[in-house]
Amino acid sequence: MHHHSHDNIDWDTRLRQLRDEDGLTAPQMRRIAETLVSGPDTCHSVIDVGSGAGGAAAAFAAALPGGTVTLVDSAPELLAEAERHATEHAARGVEVRGVRADAADEELGAAVGSADLVFSSLVVHHLPDQLAGLRRLAELVRPGGKLVIVESGLWAHVLPWDVGVGEPGLEERLLAARYSWFRRMRAEMPGTVRLPVGWSTALRQAGLGDVESWSYLVDWPAPVTGPVRDIVLRRLEWLREAAVEECSADDLAALDQLLDEQGPHYAGRRDDLYYLAAHSVFVGRKPAL
Ligand SMILES: C[S@@+](CC[C@H](N)C(=O)[O-])C[C@H]1O[C@@H](n2cnc3c(N)ncnc32)[C@H](O)[C@@H]1O
């Protein structure tokens, strides 16, 4: 069943993809969770808004010295699966709970309560009014606590520049098609509002202080094998969704050759596929009372 989301994406069907991506960044996510919950002011509660497959929530549930992790998502099946996953990884004394809610809803605070740390990864850009979304997330932060968002710094690359079929530079053109899909996704959202500033500035505009950010690489060098290879191949299928509408017939034909398991150019047999991306983390602090 398709549940309403502002971006018209049926997130419940994306569990496998989101779980795979959690696997790619699990070591970094563990370190981020440990860094964020430690420090001078002890953190006892985390709210993860748009928790996806639950990888981040699981990392927080494992890192907390006790307390609560609340997962919030609008996709009910995804939420149930993420809650199960985070519960499995929770340290002793950490309670995990899931709340189905829309991050764009004015009543978000009433539905989920507040926490020392509010985390939201790759979600705000799916909301019609991103600055209003950040303000709502900031409302969930207790005075003196932190709002942390992850937004993609650089999209993943997985292919060599010349793959031997079609014209060189295929992946750049496939990514350009995907960017154009993204622009349309945002433009077609009812009530869409542009956010004409970077994320650090946006966090300050949402009332947060001491804003800092850093990026980490997701770096799986060639040759990728096992689950990472599967992720790379599924990424090519994901790129194809936008390529069908946006790319030339030649580029689409080249991509189809890479995806053809029986053909001579099947990407799954290459030893030069890799996965390289950068994710950016932005942290803002809510003033103490
Ligand atoms: C791109 S995924 C990111 C998942 C996870 N945070 C991660 O970084 O892998 C977006 C997530 O936000 C959820 N989502 C999208 N729009 C939402 C909304 N308006 N309210 C709550 N959750 C939403 C989706 O169901 C999905 O779980």
Side-chain angles (χ1 to χ4, degrees), residues 4-7 9 11-12 18 21-22 48-56 72-75 78 101-105 108 119-123 125-128 150:
H4 172 78
S5 63
H6 300 274
D7 49 23
I9 296 173
W11 287 104
D12 274 330
L18 292 170
E21 286 165 9
D22 279 350
D48 181 2
V49 179
S51 44
V72 178
D73 209 289
S74 51
L78 207 50
D102 178 356
D105 188 340
L108 182 69
F119 181 85
S120 192
S121 164
L122 307 177
V123 177
H125 67 255
H126 289 283
L127 304 179
V150 179

Side-chain angles (χ1 to χ4, degrees), residues 54-201:
F60 282 117
L64 276 184
T68 319
V69 174
T70 305
L71 293 79
V72 178
D73 209 289
S74 51
E77 290 159 36
L78 207 50
L79 178 64
E81 191 50 41
E83 187 181 348
R84 194 194 56 70
H85 181 71
T87 304
E88 233 172 66
H89 289 80
R92 196 175 312 160
V94 174
E95 185 203 342
V96 173
R97 63 181 192 126
V99 177
R100 184 172 172 210
D102 178 356
D105 188 340
E106 287 304 329
E107 302 301 312
L108 182 69
V112 305
S114 61
D116 299 326
L117 195 155
V118 175
F119 181 85
S120 192
S121 164
L122 307 177
V123 177
V124 178
H125 67 255
H126 289 283
L127 304 179
D129 185 338
Q130 298 166 97
L131 184 56
L134 288 176
R135 291 204 170 105
R136 254 188 320 275
L137 294 182
E139 280 169 20
L140 308 180
V141 182
R142 295 207 180 116
K146 290 173 195 156
L147 172 61
V148 180
I149 61 164
V150 179
E151 288 292 337
S152 191
L154 298 168
W155 282 17
H157 279 62
V158 299
L159 292 177
W161 183 68
D162 186 351
V163 289
V165 279
E167 285 297 312
L170 176 65
E171 188 170 28
E172 299 304 332
R173 294 189 295 282
L174 295 173
L175 286 169
R178 201 70 217 193
Y179 273 116
S180 146
W181 171 90
F182 179 74
R183 202 169 56 238
R184 254 200 342 262
M185 183 273 283
R186 284 223 48 91
E188 287 170 4
M189 242 184 249
T192 190
V193 176
R194 282 174 66 169
L195 178 68
V197 295
W199 292 108
S200 300
T201 302

